[in-house]
Structure formats: C-alpha cells, structure tokens
Amino acid sequence: MELRVLRYFLAVANEGSISRAAAGLHVTQPTLSRQLMDLEAELGTTLFHRSSRMTTLTESGVYFRRRAEEIVALADTARAEFRGQDGTVHGNVFIGGGESPAFAALAAAAQRIRAAHPGVRFHLYSGNGNDVEERMERGVLDFGLFIDPVDLGRYMSLTLRHRDEWGVLMRADSPLAAQPGITPEQLRGLPLLLSSQSKVDSMLSAWLGEDISRRNIVARGNLLYNLSLMVQQGMGYAVTLQGIVNTTGDSPLVFRPLSPPLHAAVHLAWMKSRPLSRPARLWLRELQRAEADPGAEGA
C-alpha cells in the first residue's frame, strides 16, 4: 500500500468525484480509477459507491478514511522533521482534548511558537478523554488535554494553573437561575443532561452523596455544544464546566456553580515512551515556561 495511493483515496473521498479529484491531482481519470480499484482489491473490500453523478464512501470506506488520514499525517510529520534539519523548524503538533477554558493557555503558547516559527502548524482534535487516550496510544496525537478525574500513570504530564469549575447550564428563565449556587437537593427530580464519561459519573456521585444513576438523566453527550441546544429547547439542565458555552449578553442560557463548589484540575499529557517531534518539544517548553512564570507570557 503506497502513500501516494492513500493520498489519491483521500482526494476522492474529499471531492466526492473521481473527475474533480483527478484534476486536482493532475492525473488522468482512468489512472485514478485504476489505482482505487487496485486499492480495493488489496484491502478486499469496496471503498466507494460509484454513480454517474457522485462518488461516496461505503461503511468500509468511512472506516478506512480515518486510518488513511492518520497514516498520511504521520508521514507528513516525519517529512517535516527532516526538512527542519537546516536549522529552521517545520512540522505539525497534534493536540486532542475535551472542551475547557484552560485551552486558552495552549492557544497562547501556540501563537508565540507560530510567531517565531511560521513553519509549525497545529492540528486539534476535540473529543472526550477516552477518545483522546486511544488516539495517543496509536501515535496520532502528541498531546492530550485531560480534566479530572483522570489516571495519568502512563503519561508524562503538566498540571495547568487553570482549574475548571463545575456547575449547571440552564435556561435564563429557569427558577434556579435566581440562585447563586446549585445544591444537590435542588437538582433532585430535575431532568439532567450529562457527560458520557463514566469517570465524571463517579465524581458527580461523590458530590451528590448518592449514585447519580438514581437521578433523572434524559441525555448524555461527549461535547457540550449539542447538549446546550437541548437545554435551550427546555429538555433539562446540563451539569458541565464553566466557560465552555457563552452565557453573556443576550444568551438565553445562564451558568450557576455547584454548591458546595466542585473544581477540577486540568492536565496536559504526553506518552512516556514516545519521543516528541521538534515542533512539539518547542511548544511544550513554551507552555511550561508560561505556566511557571505567568508574567513572562508576553516576553
């Protein structure tokens, strides 16, 4: 399986058309079609539904697309590393994580690295902790941003200065919106929208003083945006972190912290056994410097 053929496959998957992909790749349409058929024969499966108007991925094609994207990204990273041996820094930094205001520190460090080294590019993956761990294990991500509770035993890690605060996202016209903080008793009987992560369940159960499965859970999700739309529609109350959804100005939503307060530490982690690329090392050192000396961030 050649890297060139994987790029051909991804081009067709992105374009939805063999003819448009062939034009962009500067190859003939028969050549591209033959390469794709050879790839399908090698894999022993059909990757595309072909019609006169469009080309779409089969279920196997959707799965293979993810793998092809990962392989191509790793190859591009290796190539960029060698390009940088002339003293310039080129390459990619791959970061995954859940939603958290703590990402602002990572973004600030990325901007400073980009200002000094324009050849460095950043790739972000948004997902829950389980997704990020799995991608780090496969070498697809350099770093993962994790919010407690999390087991970091397999990783090197940096605990950020920022701490997330848990609370409840609700409609602004909710009776609870008048409360300065939300107690376990005030949540009793209310329809709740929660994270899909079991570790979060354990943490919230400890705060409630009872198994959260006994509460009225109406929806779960791995990221907050879609859950917030359900909150807007009046489906219930989302127990989540502060600052992920904008609740200022004319927003129909408000956030109220839990009472007693529940905070969560935020950690950046990377594999102990896998060396980091030069761009990744530079970015990590910049972030470590800023976290150790906040006054030096603009230096």
Side-chain angles (χ1 to χ4, degrees):
M1 188 181 304
E2 298 181 30
L3 190 62
R4 170 179 52 82
V5 177
L6 295 183
R7 295 188 191 277
Y8 286 176
F9 164 77
L10 291 174
V12 175
N14 292 333
E15 290 288 346
S17 164
I18 292 178
S19 59
R20 287 198 300 270
L25 293 166
H26 304 292
V27 299
T28 66
Q29 186 172 335
T31 296
L32 181 55
S33 295
R34 186 172 61 254
Q35 294 281 359
L36 294 178
M37 287 189 290
D38 289 346
L39 177 61
E40 289 175 321
E42 182 179 357
L43 294 173
T45 189
T46 302
L47 299 174
F48 292 102
H49 296 297
R50 296 168 173 86
S51 71
S52 59
R53 300 184 61 182
M54 62 189 306
T55 303
T56 59
L57 291 170
T58 64
E59 184 177 347
S60 295
V62 171
Y63 174 83
F64 185 70
R65 180 181 189 169
R66 293 197 297 268
R67 293 293 181 256
E69 288 173 337
E70 293 169 0
I71 293 168
V72 169
L74 290 171
D76 288 345
T77 296
R79 182 181 296 108
E81 278 282 276
F82 284 101
R83 284 178 58 198
Q85 290 185 352
D86 61 357
T88 61
V89 181
H90 298 270
N92 303 298
V93 181
F94 296 87
I95 308 168
E99 299 167 304
S100 169
F103 197 87
L106 280 61
Q111 171 57 23
R112 292 192 293 274
I113 289 297
R114 281 277 304 161
H117 307 285
V120 175
R121 291 179 173 82
F122 291 84
H123 303 263
L124 308 181
Y125 171 79
S126 295
N128 64 30
N130 294 336
D131 296 334
V132 172
E133 285 190 60
E134 192 264 340
R135 285 173 174 259
M136 289 179 68
E137 291 289 342
R138 297 206 314 267
V140 178
L141 294 175
D142 298 312
F143 300 98
L145 187 69
F146 296 100
I147 303 166
D148 274 345
V150 61
D151 180 6
L152 297 172
R154 292 175 294 171
Y155 306 110
M156 301 289 288
S157 64
L158 169 68
T159 300
L160 304 183
R161 288 181 288 110
H162 174 90
R163 298 184 73 208
D164 280 332
E165 182 171 23
W166 284 89
V168 181
L169 186 71
M170 66 188 78
R171 286 169 56 120
D173 58 4
S174 165
L176 286 183
Q179 301 297 320
I182 308 302
T183 67
E185 188 59 34
Q186 287 170 324
L187 290 180
R188 190 173 301 280
L190 295 180
L192 302 180
L193 295 81
L194 303 177
S195 165
S196 57
Q197 294 192 80
S198 59
K199 291 178 181 178
V200 173
D201 276 12
S202 300
M203 179 190 66
L204 293 178
S205 294
W207 178 81
L208 288 168
E210 66 174 347
D211 194 325
I212 198 167
S213 64
R214 298 181 181 178
R215 296 298 177 105
N216 180 20
I217 302 171
V218 299
R220 288 184 179 273
N222 65 330
L223 296 175
L224 183 60
Y225 178 74
N226 288 339
L227 291 180
S228 74
L229 298 179
M230 291 183 168
V231 174
Q232 287 188 43
Q233 292 300 315
M235 280 188 62
Y237 298 76
V239 182
T240 184
L241 298 171
Q242 185 178 25
I244 299 174
V245 170
N246 182 17
T247 57
T248 61
D250 296 329
S251 173
L253 303 175
V254 297
F255 177 92
R256 296 293 179 261
L258 298 181
S259 179
L262 181 62
H263 293 93
V266 184
H267 315 272
L268 183 76
W270 58 100
M271 299 296 295
K272 290 179 178 178
S273 58
R274 186 177 300 123
L276 294 171
S277 67
R278 187 181 179 194
R281 293 195 304 272
L282 286 174
W283 176 76
L284 176 60
R285 284 201 293 268
E286 176 60 29
L287 180 63
Q288 290 170 323
R289 182 184 70 89
E291 287 294 304
D293 183 7
E297 289 190 13

